[in-house]
Amino acid sequence: MSRARRYGSWLLGIAALLMAFGAGAAKIYRWTDRGGITHYGDHVPDAAPAQVQTIPVEGEPSAIARLRIENDGDRFLAFADNRLSGPIEVQLDFSRGENVIGQPVLPARATVAPRGSALVAVLSSADPDRGFDFELQMESLPGDPTARPRDVDYLLPLQQAHFRIDQGYGGQFSHRDEQNRYAVDFAAEIGTPVLAAREGVVMQVESDFDKAGLNLERYGGRANFVRILHDDGTMTLYAHLKAEGALVRVGQRVRAGQQIGLSGNTGFTTGPHLHFVVQVNRGMRLESIPFRMVGPQGPLRISGG
């Protein structure tokens, strides 16, 4: 193997490790073994003593996919590993390359099954008589781009006697992008039970963040949430849950009306509320779609603004 090829392999190995472990743990555990040695870890081993101290730390949102590179003789195989209990789409591209080609030609996309892996591209030298090196970047989005939404009625996602919509379709504060244009913010006190608006499988959970504010750069992508996948490929997102406010686990199937969490005030927000939106992957583009919802008194009127 040429020096250049070895260099490319080393860079990719580091990149894969960063993608695998870059998300900070939300809790660190500390314990002392029988020999008096103090240990730290992101989980508690079976052999740990009864007294284990939990140290909360500020965690980053978990990566939904991992780029994995395998050496296959004179070429490299680039795999995407899906960490979610629902399909995702990835796009792989070169961030730098010398004398390297991809099959298929990069940028290349692939849909990866729940908790599965997919070969995205095979990388080899354009000129076999010369070495090659490269660096890759991979984007990932939840959802299957072939999803076909069905026309259904959603249930009110909160267990409360009265409801108030603080921000509807196209709201000027935070509902102006494609992902949230058809989102609805329901006013809700912290700790209000959040209910599944439709049957599905829990695809993704974030529940370790405990801060809120109006700094978009700092809090824009940090709200606690539950994402549920439905059998037509659409996904519902329940966001701004309280810290440790998710009451379901990834991979769990939930029925419509089942409690899945507790409302809160985390992330980019002006106050306690539940952000509810139905989304679909339109090909490396996450979009929100309009929906119908039924409450205790009948159909809800969801207006913009």
Side-chain angles (χ1 to χ4, degrees):
M1 180 179 289
S2 71
R3 182 176 181 179
R5 188 174 294 140
R6 235 183 352 254
Y7 181 58
S9 177
W10 177 77
L11 283 174
L12 284 165
I14 295 298
L17 285 173
L18 288 174
M19 293 192 72
F21 302 110
K27 297 184 182 67
I28 296 295
Y29 300 97
R30 178 171 62 191
W31 66 93
T32 303
D33 64 21
R34 295 178 180 177
I37 300 175
T38 299
H39 300 266
Y40 294 84
D42 60 0
H43 68 282
V44 181
D46 294 336
Q51 292 186 343
V52 177
Q53 181 182 1
T54 302
I55 306 171
V57 296
E58 185 171 316
E60 295 295 326
S62 302
I64 71 172
R66 180 176 75 110
L67 173 62
R68 176 167 50 89
I69 307 300
E70 292 187 3
N71 192 340
D72 184 37
D74 291 333
R75 60 185 192 166
F76 290 95
L77 310 180
F79 292 89
D81 297 331
N82 181 2
R83 296 181 161 191
L84 301 187
S85 288
I88 65 170
E89 185 181 22
V90 300
Q91 178 169 293
L92 185 69
D93 201 358
F94 291 114
S95 55
R96 185 183 65 80
E98 180 181 345
N99 189 39
V100 61
I101 56 174
Q103 181 59 41
V105 175
L106 270 56
R109 295 182 182 181
T111 302
V112 191
R115 298 290 182 178
S117 299
L119 177 64
V120 185
V122 177
L123 310 171
S124 58
S125 60
D127 179 356
D129 294 328
R130 296 168 46 213
F132 67 99
D133 69 292
F134 54 87
E135 293 179 55
L136 296 172
Q137 59 185 16
M138 187 175 75
E139 299 177 59
S140 54
L141 276 180
D144 187 333
T146 66
R148 295 293 179 266
R150 291 204 309 267
D151 190 19
V152 300
D153 288 329
Y154 290 83
L155 301 182
L156 188 68
L158 288 165
Q159 183 179 306
Q160 53 185 8
H162 305 284
F163 74 91
R164 186 182 79 241
I165 295 176
D166 283 347
Q167 187 178 197
Y169 291 172
Q172 292 302 300
F173 177 68
S174 60
H175 293 177
R176 291 177 293 177
D177 62 320
E178 288 185 330
Q179 296 185 29
N180 297 291
R181 181 164 293 118
Y182 294 104
V184 174
D185 289 347
F186 293 97
E189 294 296 326
I190 294 176
T192 302
V194 176
L195 312 178
R198 182 181 174 189
E199 180 184 9
V201 174
V202 179
M203 181 177 184
Q204 188 178 11
V205 171
E206 293 287 349
S207 189
D208 296 313
F209 196 59
D210 62 358
K211 295 180 176 58
L214 294 177
N215 185 324
L216 183 59
E217 182 178 354
R218 185 174 181 183
Y219 300 119
R222 298 304 314 277
N224 296 325
F225 66 86
V226 170
R227 182 185 298 276
I228 295 178
L229 172 70
H230 309 294
D231 57 9
D232 60 354
T234 59
M235 301 166 287
T236 45
L237 187 72
Y238 308 76
H240 302 300
L241 305 181
K242 65 178 297 186
E244 305 296 339
L247 304 181
V248 289
R249 66 184 185 279
V250 171
Q252 178 180 346
R253 186 160 195 91
V254 296
R255 66 184 183 279
Q258 178 178 338
Q259 184 174 356
I260 60 172
L262 298 169
S263 67
N265 184 37
T266 58
F268 183 65
T269 172
T270 58
H273 71 279
L274 176 71
H275 178 89
F276 177 85
V277 62
V278 182
Q279 296 175 329
V280 65
N281 183 347
R282 297 297 193 191
M284 290 305 297
R285 204 175 72 249
L286 201 59
E287 290 187 1
S288 58
I289 59 175
F291 59 88
R292 292 197 314 270
M293 182 169 281
V294 178
Q297 309 303 320
L300 272 65
R301 180 179 176 82
I302 303 174
S303 59

